[in-house]
Amino acid sequence: MPMPSAVKRVSDTVWEIPVSYKEGMLVPARIYATEKLMKEMDDGVFEQVTNVACLPGIVKYAYCMPDGHWGYGFPIGGVAAMDAKTGVISPGGIGFDINCGMRLVLTNLTYDEVKPRLREIVDALFHRIPAGVGCTGFVKLTQDGFRDVLRKGALWCLHNGYAWKEDLELTEEKGCFEGADPSTVSNKAIERGFDQVGTLGSGNHYCEIQVAKPENVFDGETARAFGFTIPNQVAVMFHCGSRGFGHQVATDYLQLFLSVMEKKYGIKVLDRELACAPFNSPEGQDYFSAMKCAVNMAFANRQVILHRVREVFSEVFNRSAEDLGMDMVYDVTHNTAKLERHLVDGKEREVLVHRKGATRAFGPGMEGVPEAYRETGQPVIIGGSMETGSYLLAGVATGADSFYSTAHGSGRTMSRHQAKRTYRGERLKRDMEIRGIYVRSDSWGGLAEEAGAAYKDIDEVVEATELAGLSRRVIKLVPIGNIKG
Amino acid sequence: MTYRYLEDIATADAAFEARGKDLEEVFIAAADATTNVMVEDLDSILRQEALHIEVENRELDLLLYSFLSEIVFIKDAKRLLLRFDGVEIEERDGLYYLRAKAYGSPIDPGRQPLKADVKAITLHRLSLIETRDGWRATAVIDI
């Protein structure tokens, strides 16, 4: 479908939909994209980003990032900042997979050193990191023990031998959102997720071995600051979230908000998936706390997976993870709502920034960026398809325009069914192997759904973020091994 | 088959349309459509455990939402995939009540090819409509 005629081009990479487009819009909508990406944008994006623009308390614009596509409630790639006093909080602006995010860890190994052991590493990762429908983790927790994870996040992992102290410094919010109170979480959510710490899940979740080739380094100095110091250095990137626990938290509160939104607070929304409550209401605050529990569960989940990754490399190379230089680059979430202070029309305001399939990208010198990256800006991890590669970006000062938010992935462009009709999992695996990418999955169908061509051109997406001043390219990382749920 | 997957909605997720001559049929078809996102062959779900599911809601389409969300919950909490022998729906004092008789077997990747894990049923474009020949339900599933 062609883009609506109301869309106005503001610059090469900024497109705006005015408030006159739809009754109830409180602010204009802004989509960041090159002309090519804009032409490929799902029509659902236009509907959804303008629905978001109608939410009470929204400030400046409803945004969609260059990797945006049709989601539920918000578009995927959606960003909206709500005034902390007058605005709402909406689970549909965060996603069911609360704190779905990316983690990147270094090694001091080169591609030549890893290549002969690649199958062994991938096979071991596949066996050691549970993935797929109904998988459970190796961390055995009681439900009360799990509540402790919800309160402490990655800190729980440090106390229990699954983390290095430095890992927490290099995790967004040090791997723990303050104020997570497990009493705001249903027993059902606990029951659903308490044995899933250390699991990948399925869909587009993965753990990938990647190479930083010299020709793919865009900014050598920042790359070195992020720990990439050797040509063809190998790194491990993984993508997962809060698993069934977070999904249940969102499901529970969506139903609660739906029952009070209109009756108690007089709020109407254009899509029930945007069900919300005033941020400053008992329901809004309870959800914010429950969301933080899920955020912390996801940080712990990725931390435990990192522990497994280190074990596997250590066993395969018969050297300690420390000796293999398996330091974290960063862990960043792309499904959250966070209270942040931003300049709006020259005045500092406290806003609740919803980012759904969008990454926080703080610029140089900003508070909240780990000390080690204060000069470079916050690392941003963009997970691409298993065939085409991923990116490490850095936050920039001009990101203020979008509340310092940028893309999160390459963005899907082909439906899962179409991908499955077009590709066969077994064939794809063989073809990828010929190209030097060894992949393991529990599901052939699931593998076919993740074919590279099912996604937008990631090079175009990250270039769009750079041209739009949202983030800048540091390194492109290409895959050599992948495990999928 | 009484359901089909829709391709033009929510690019990264799964969406289905289910049909039935009455409410019971359309709810069972929607349950199968949800479970079939996770497992290749519904016939691989064996009659090993019996379960009763009860949910209630003030709206009929939200009753479907609660019912499907319960199936997703049981998939993780009990590691069971379910089929249904019967569903009863009644309205009392402005509320809809559902009682369903289910059977199922533990998720077993060694025995049954699995597909995508369902995270949740979304409310985006959820609908349950009475048609000339029965009922039609549509839902978007987050995977």
Side-chain angles (χ1 to χ4, degrees):
Chain A
M1 191 186 119
M3 70 175 104
S5 58
V7 176
K8 299 277 178 284
R9 191 171 194 165
V10 176
S11 72
D12 280 353
T13 48
V14 182
W15 309 72
E16 194 167 307
I17 310 176
V19 290
S20 55
Y21 176 74
K22 186 182 274 183
E23 198 183 330
M25 279 176 71
L26 301 170
V27 294
R30 277 201 161 183
I31 299 171
Y32 293 101
T34 56
E35 189 163 351
K36 179 172 178 275
L37 291 170
M38 195 63 182
K39 282 182 178 160
E40 291 167 0
M41 206 59 85
D42 296 337
D43 46 347
V45 166
F46 304 112
E47 178 199 331
Q48 293 184 324
V49 76
T50 49
N51 287 347
V52 172
C54 302
L55 289 174
I58 187 165
V59 173
K60 274 170 74 171
Y61 300 100
Y63 302 90
C64 185
M65 298 295 131
D67 54 336
H69 60 83
W70 191 343
Y72 47 87
F74 276 45
I76 307 302
V79 175
M82 311 302 183
D83 184 272
K85 289 194 183 74
T86 60
V88 293
I89 183 166
S90 173
I94 294 155
F96 285 97
D97 201 358
I98 297 165
N99 188 6
C100 188
M102 307 293 308
R103 184 171 284 218
L104 181 61
V105 57
L106 299 162
T107 74
N108 55 20
L109 300 165
T110 63
Y111 177 50
D112 286 343
E113 289 169 300
V114 168
K115 200 177 166 190
R117 316 296 294 271
L118 183 64
R119 291 179 83 93
E120 201 182 333
I121 299 167
V122 172
D123 289 344
L125 289 172
F126 185 68
H127 290 298
R128 300 289 285 277
I129 304 172
V133 182
C135 58
T136 52
F138 72 95
V139 181
K140 299 297 171 215
L141 285 164
T142 60
Q143 295 194 5
D144 272 345
F146 183 66
R147 287 186 176 89
D148 213 23
V149 174
L150 305 183
R151 275 185 285 264
K152 295 178 183 155
L155 185 63
W156 180 90
C157 300
L158 183 65
H159 293 161
N160 288 274
Y162 299 116
W164 299 350
K165 196 158 65 57
E166 304 76 27
D167 298 340
L168 273 58
E169 292 297 321
L170 298 170
T171 304
E172 185 172 343
E173 301 295 333
K174 297 189 165 56
C176 179
F177 277 22
E178 292 294 326
D181 174 3
S183 74
T184 55
V185 164
S186 72
N187 287 336
K188 253 179 129 163
I190 305 259
E191 202 184 327
R192 189 169 163 191
F194 80 99
D195 56 0
Q196 292 183 332
V197 176
T199 61
L200 263 187
S202 81
N204 61 356
H205 292 169
Y206 62 84
C207 176
E208 191 166 272
I209 303 172
Q210 304 173 335
V211 179
K213 294 183 178 175
E215 63 269 30
N216 289 333
V217 176
F218 291 82
D219 172 356
E221 199 178 323
T222 308
R224 278 189 293 281
F226 287 170
F228 286 90
T229 53
I230 317 165
N232 295 311
Q233 191 169 342
V234 168
V236 182
M237 179 182 284
F238 48 95
H239 175 214
C240 60
S242 49
R243 308 283 292 112
F245 173 71
H247 311 160
Q248 192 65 37
V249 165
T251 300
D252 291 343
Y253 276 93
L254 202 55
Q255 293 182 84
L256 172 69
F257 284 6
L258 208 54
S259 68
V260 296
M261 176 177 63
E262 206 171 329
K263 224 181 319 176
K264 190 170 170 186
Y265 298 111
I267 301 169
K268 286 187 179 175
V269 291
L270 292 171
D271 173 355
R272 285 184 294 180
E273 188 62 38
L274 289 174
C276 56
F279 181 57
N280 267 324
S281 68
E283 295 86 357
Q285 287 296 304
D286 280 356
Y287 171 63
F288 194 45
S289 158
M291 182 212 78
K292 289 174 175 176
C293 289
V295 163
N296 292 346
M297 189 281 185
F299 281 137
N301 191 30
R302 290 197 288 274
Q303 184 63 51
V304 166
I305 290 175
L306 170 58
H307 177 78
R308 279 302 217 206
V309 171
R310 283 174 174 154
E311 278 182 352
V312 164
F313 272 78
S314 177
E315 284 164 22
V316 169
F317 290 95
N318 202 20
R319 288 163 63 187
S320 72
E322 288 86 348
D323 191 38
L324 290 166
M326 297 191 75
D327 299 308
M328 269 179 62
V329 177
Y330 201 52
D331 177 304
V332 70
T333 164
H334 50 232
N335 276 7
T336 53
K338 293 181 80 172
L339 263 183
E340 294 171 3
R341 300 194 75 83
H342 290 277
L343 277 179
V344 180
D345 300 328
K347 268 196 194 151
E348 198 181 78
R349 268 167 83 171
E350 190 172 45
V351 285
L352 183 71
V353 187
H354 292 67
R355 295 187 181 94
K356 182 191 194 180
T359 315
R360 186 191 76 171
F362 278 179
M366 288 179 69
E367 209 178 311
V369 178
E371 202 57 49
Y373 304 137
R374 280 283 165 92
E375 281 183 29
T376 56
Q378 176 210 305
V380 173
I381 306 163
I382 304 283
S385 82
M386 62 186 180
E387 288 191 82
T388 49
S390 298
Y391 273 86
L392 184 57
L393 313 179
V396 290
T398 45
D401 285 346
S402 66
F403 296 98
Y404 295 97
S405 309
T406 189
H408 83 305
S410 46
R412 229 187 143 82
T413 184
M414 187 189 284
S415 78
R416 291 181 178 276
H417 270 264
Q418 196 187 336
K420 221 158 28 183
R421 263 203 320 269
T422 315
Y423 306 99
R424 302 240 59 91
E426 296 92 324
R427 173 82 191 271
L428 187 61
K429 183 181 189 302
R430 275 201 309 274
D431 289 352
M432 286 173 65
E433 232 168 295
I434 292 166
R435 282 180 277 138
I437 310 166
Y438 178 58
V439 57
R440 290 288 307 264
S441 173
D442 248 344
S443 161
W444 291 120
L447 193 66
E449 289 175 8
E450 295 301 321
Y455 286 87
K456 297 185 193 197
D457 176 352
I458 193 164
D459 301 327
E460 182 92 11
V461 167
V462 294
E463 196 180 349
T465 74
E466 189 166 296
L467 292 170
L470 306 178
S471 48
R472 63 189 177 85
R473 290 171 292 186
V474 179
I475 315 179
K476 179 178 183 177
L477 297 153
V478 294
I480 54 168
N482 184 305
I483 67 164
K484 299 201 73 67
Chain B
M1 203 181 292
T2 46
Y3 57 87
R4 66 186 181 100
Y5 294 104
L6 308 171
E7 299 211 5
D8 301 332
I9 300 182
T11 328
D13 299 307
F16 69 77
E17 179 189 272
R19 288 174 182 272
K21 67 174 184 321
D22 50 29
L23 274 177
E24 172 179 306
E25 263 194 24
V26 77
F27 270 61
I28 291 177
D32 277 350
T34 302
T35 303
N36 206 181
V37 169
M38 297 186 275
V39 65
E40 201 81 48
D41 179 9
L42 288 176
D43 290 338
S44 70
I45 299 171
L46 307 174
R47 217 172 255 285
Q48 289 180 348
E49 300 204 27
L51 258 94
H52 286 273
I53 290 180
E54 292 188 15
V55 289
E56 58 180 64
N57 213 301
R58 64 201 175 283
E59 308 280 350
L60 204 48
D61 59 348
L62 293 177
L63 187 74
L64 177 66
Y65 176 81
S66 302
F67 173 56
L68 299 178
S69 296
E70 195 64 16
I71 293 169
V72 177
F73 166 73
I74 290 168
K75 172 265 301 175
D76 280 329
K78 299 191 190 302
R79 313 258 171 271
L80 287 176
L81 294 175
L82 302 178
R83 302 293 306 272
F84 289 84
D85 284 324
V87 167
E88 284 173 28
I89 293 165
E90 58 172 358
E91 187 189 356
R92 262 185 289 129
D93 308 323
L95 271 182
Y96 292 97
Y97 296 87
L98 174 144
R99 285 150 53 102
K101 212 172 133 193
Y103 68 85
S105 52
I107 296 166
D108 182 356
R111 187 180 63 74
Q112 51 189 177
L114 298 169
K115 293 154 76 181
D117 194 21
V118 170
K119 293 176 181 168
I121 310 300
T122 82
L123 289 167
H124 178 57
R125 299 207 175 179
L126 176 82
S127 77
L128 178 63
I129 302 165
E130 192 163 12
T131 62
R132 245 186 301 169
D133 7 300
W135 289 82
R136 189 178 68 224
T138 53
V140 176
I141 297 174
D142 185 14
I143 54 178

